[in-house]
Amino acid sequence: MPQSSDAAPATTGTATLTASETVPAAGPVPDSQTLAAVRRRAALAGTAVSVLLILAIVLGSRLLRDFDSALLPYAVATVFLAFGVAYRYTVWISAPGARRLFKQGWRSLFSAENFRSAPTALPRMIATYLGFQKFLGARSHARWAAHQLIFWGCILAALITFPLTWGWFTFTSGSGSGPGYEMRIWGIKVLGFDSLNIVGWLMFHGLDIAAVLVIPGASYFLWRRMKDRGAVTGQRFAYDLVPLIALIVIAVTGLLLTFSSIFLHGGGYEFLAILHMVSVVFTLIYIPFGKFFHIVQRPAAVGMQLFKYTSRREDEQILACRRCHELIDTTPYVENLQGTMRDLDLGFDEWAEYCPRCKRVLRGNAYLTHVKKGFK
């Protein structure tokens, strides 16, 4: 955006910023009608997704013939989860910055040109950025390992729990008590196994394995939230601590159910089952409105990473910092960021043309010039 008439331009050696550049203008405040329209769209999207999920449950369970009524609370919670995710996602992409990220990210994901020029780029980025999250390793190896434990534990639990809850796949025994079982998906037999061998053990203890993965990962982050000063400073109980506590409660109660059935002959099983159910239902309903919502947002970020990668492969011009001339990123990526800033009417989109170090230096100089001097 153009600078104000009294703005002094940044120079290579001793760049300065004016007060108008230092204190950005507030973004546009949506009026009540705009907010109401966004909420209506979000409610419609949530309702549509919920109805589709209910239809999928009914049809996938063969008109509820394979649906286990004991799992009804979990199924109802997943319907609320679907509504909440669709509602929150619709509200999220209604904001200018998120809308631009959403459009550019998904456009890059489904671009035929990107697939032709770099056919392995998308699978590689899904594996490294979405799956193994290598960007976390640059911050801390311990945080990366803990996040991987939580991620794969939750993925395993979701792959088992959701289809079972919806009645999409079932385990049946011809004799009624085993040891031979059949796993059926949508009523079609896909696998037969003996519950007494290693395959059978893995089938019936998959959720226990998931719990063993989640507990150390969530415990590490909970410990870090208690001890690390940087984490403690900005944390919020409901946003940062409740998700970790919920994961630990789910995992521990799940393991206790197995312990009760094997070693206590079912002692306390009913109480543990209710406690486990309550914790799972609470967590599923909480996901769209807490920290776990980043799980839904992350795929769009993968598309943005692909956009950056393909821009570099196409020999796009690399923009240099206006102050120190260090290379920042490709011109299309910086222009995309500036477009987001203009959409938000922030008034300082030229800052995207500075490297992180120079931004800190310029902000410090502006503070000394326009704020600190008032105390001399």
Side-chain angles (χ1 to χ4, degrees):
M1 294 183 69
Q3 297 177 342
S4 58
S5 58
D6 61 338
T11 60
T12 303
T14 57
T16 60
L17 292 178
T18 65
S20 62
E21 291 174 304
T22 306
V23 183
V29 179
D31 55 37
S32 58
Q33 292 183 346
T34 302
L35 291 175
V38 169
R39 288 168 181 161
R40 282 195 299 270
R41 288 198 303 269
L44 288 174
T47 302
V49 171
S50 299
V51 170
L52 288 175
L53 178 57
I54 292 172
L55 290 175
I57 292 173
V58 173
L59 297 177
S61 61
R62 299 190 300 165
L63 301 180
L64 302 181
R65 279 181 291 177
D66 295 332
F67 186 80
D68 187 350
S69 59
L71 302 179
L72 180 61
Y74 298 98
V76 173
T78 61
V79 174
F80 277 99
L81 169 65
F83 178 89
V85 167
Y87 183 96
R88 177 83 187 276
Y89 203 88
T90 304
V91 172
W92 175 58
I93 63 175
S94 297
R99 182 167 59 247
R100 185 177 292 271
L101 172 67
F102 176 82
K103 289 181 178 179
Q104 187 60 60
W106 288 108
R107 186 183 297 122
S108 298
L109 279 177
F110 295 107
S111 170
E113 182 180 350
N114 287 346
F115 181 77
R116 286 193 299 268
S117 61
T120 63
L122 179 57
R124 187 168 64 251
M125 288 191 177
I126 290 176
T128 58
Y129 190 80
L130 194 62
F132 294 101
Q133 300 133 13
K134 285 190 173 181
F135 61 94
L136 287 174
R139 306 175 191 173
S140 167
H141 293 302
R143 289 171 63 185
W144 173 81
H147 200 278
Q148 283 290 286
L149 290 173
I150 294 176
F151 176 78
W152 291 111
C154 290
I155 289 293
L156 177 60
L159 290 176
I160 296 172
T161 302
F162 286 165
L164 273 177
T165 298
W166 297 334
W168 287 5
F169 72 70
T170 57
F171 296 98
T172 59
S173 172
S175 62
S177 58
Y181 283 86
E182 295 179 349
M183 185 177 77
R184 296 178 177 270
I185 298 180
W186 300 311
I188 303 172
K189 178 184 175 181
V190 296
L191 178 66
F193 61 91
D194 188 335
S195 62
L196 300 179
N197 61 22
I198 184 64
V199 175
W201 188 90
L202 291 174
M203 284 289 179
F204 287 115
H205 292 276
L207 290 176
D208 294 330
I209 296 172
V212 170
L213 293 175
V214 167
I215 289 174
S219 298
Y220 169 80
F221 281 115
L222 189 61
W223 171 84
R224 182 175 174 273
R225 287 286 171 187
M226 299 293 186
K227 298 295 184 181
D228 187 89
R229 290 185 177 180
V232 170
T233 301
Q235 75 182 6
R236 291 168 287 172
F237 179 78
Y239 187 80
D240 296 300
L241 297 181
V242 167
L244 298 174
I245 295 172
L247 284 178
I248 294 173
V249 171
I250 291 172
V252 170
T253 53
L255 288 176
L256 287 176
L257 286 171
T258 301
F259 181 83
S260 171
S261 63
I262 295 176
F263 298 104
L264 301 181
H265 308 289
Y269 194 92
E270 291 184 1
F271 169 76
L272 290 172
I274 293 174
L275 180 60
H276 182 73
M277 180 192 68
V278 170
S279 60
V280 171
V281 169
F282 167 79
T283 303
L284 290 176
I285 296 175
Y286 174 83
I287 284 175
F289 309 102
K291 194 167 189 175
F292 289 150
F293 185 67
H294 76 275
I295 300 170
V296 185
Q297 297 171 310
R298 186 61 63 183
V302 174
M304 186 56 70
Q305 293 297 316
L306 182 63
F307 170 57
K308 292 173 64 175
Y309 175 79
T310 52
S311 296
R312 289 167 181 166
R313 280 180 58 90
E314 293 167 1
D315 297 324
E316 292 281 359
Q317 179 184 357
I318 304 297
L319 195 67
C321 174
R322 287 169 53 177
R323 181 174 179 271
C324 69
H325 305 299
E326 180 183 347
L327 297 181
I328 303 174
D329 216 314
T330 60
T331 300
Y333 183 78
V334 175
E335 290 176 348
N336 187 277
L337 178 59
Q338 289 178 318
T340 300
M341 291 179 169
R342 286 191 290 270
D343 290 343
L344 293 171
D345 196 21
L346 295 176
F348 61 104
D349 55 284
E350 69 276 0
W351 271 49
E353 299 178 17
Y354 292 97
C355 69
R357 179 182 179 276
C358 288
K359 289 177 185 176
R360 293 192 295 269
V361 171
L362 294 175
R363 287 177 65 88
N365 288 340
Y367 175 79
L368 290 173
T369 304
H370 299 288
V371 179
K372 190 66 175 179
K373 70 176 184 178
F375 297 99
K376 291 182 179 179

